[in-house]
Amino acid sequence: MSAEQERGEAESFWEQLYIGRAPPTELRASPMLMAFATALPAGTALDLGCARGDDALWLAGRGWAVTAVDVAPSALAVASQRARDAGVSIDFAFPRAAVLAQAAAAVRMGGHLLIVEHASHPPWSWESAGAVFPPPHELLEAMAIETSAWTQLFVGRREREARGPGRQVAVVADNVAFLSRT
C-alpha cells in the first residue's frame, strides 16, 4: 500500500468515527496535556490530531495561541463550533500532512513540543487486530528532529485512566514526547 493510500485509509477511518456523533457536552482535555502544560506560561501550541478540540479548547481558554489539525473534517467542524461557542480563537487552517512535516521547525527557541499519541486501545474501542503503536522516538526520527536543537524533557510511555462512553474505566497508555527547543 502506498503512503497516499494509507493516508486516505486513515482519513476515512477517523471521518467514519466522528461523522454523525453528537458534540461533546463537557470539556475533557488530555490528562497528559494538563500534567505537562499547566505550569507553562501561555504561548503558541500546535495540536496535531485535535479530534473534536478538547485539548485545543483547554489551551485557548488559558490564553494560548492554538493551531489545531485533524484528518477528519467532521471532527474539525465540531471543534470549530465549540471554539466559537466558548468564545476562543483557534486556527484550524493547516492540513495535517503538511503540518507533520513542519511541526518541529515551527517551535521557537525556548518553546516546547508536546506530542501525545495512543499507545494502547481501551477495551471498549474499535481495537483492530495487529494495531501498531510506534514508540515516540520513532516519531521524532520520522520528523527529522535534530537532537542538538532540543532537550528531551520526557520521551516514553505513560499510563492514564480513561473513561468509556458507558462511564467504564480502564487504564490505557499514551506515547509522549515532550521537548524544549534549545
Side-chain angles (χ1 to χ4, degrees):
M1 179 179 298
S2 73
E4 181 137 340
Q5 288 171 316
E6 286 181 16
R7 196 168 28 257
E9 192 173 296
E11 290 172 13
S12 176
F13 171 84
W14 289 109
E15 181 62 15
Q16 291 305 311
L17 180 69
Y18 290 115
I19 197 163
R21 290 177 76 182
T25 57
E26 61 186 54
L27 182 65
R28 291 179 47 184
S30 161
M32 291 298 157
L33 172 66
M34 292 186 294
F36 286 102
T38 295
L40 297 175
T44 303
L46 177 60
D47 184 357
L48 301 175
C50 71
R52 297 184 296 174
D54 289 294
D55 292 346
L57 287 161
W58 185 86
L59 287 163
R62 282 154 183 77
W64 289 73
V66 180
T67 298
V69 178
D70 201 278
V71 297
S74 61
L76 284 175
V78 169
S80 180
Q81 183 61 54
R82 291 177 76 200
R84 283 190 297 278
D85 292 348
V88 297
S89 177
I90 298 173
D91 180 6
F92 294 100
F94 291 125
R96 184 176 187 270
V99 173
L100 283 172
Q102 300 175 21
V107 178
R108 294 183 183 155
M109 184 85 66
H112 293 84
L113 177 64
L114 174 64
I115 302 169
V116 180
E117 298 182 309
H118 298 294
S120 69
H121 287 296
W124 56 81
S125 78
W126 59 90
E127 183 172 350
S128 59
V132 176
F133 300 98
H137 72 274
E138 287 184 14
L139 172 64
L140 296 178
E141 289 169 8
M143 292 174 66
I145 297 285
E146 184 166 337
T147 56
S148 65
W150 297 89
T151 299
Q152 292 187 8
L153 302 173
F154 181 84
V155 176
R157 182 179 167 119
R158 286 257 175 109
E159 291 185 341
R160 64 176 170 88
E161 186 177 275
R163 295 197 180 277
R167 297 255 186 244
Q168 56 276 60
V169 177
V171 174
V172 296
D174 290 321
N175 286 324
V176 179
F178 184 47
L179 302 102
S180 175
R181 186 79 182 243
T182 54

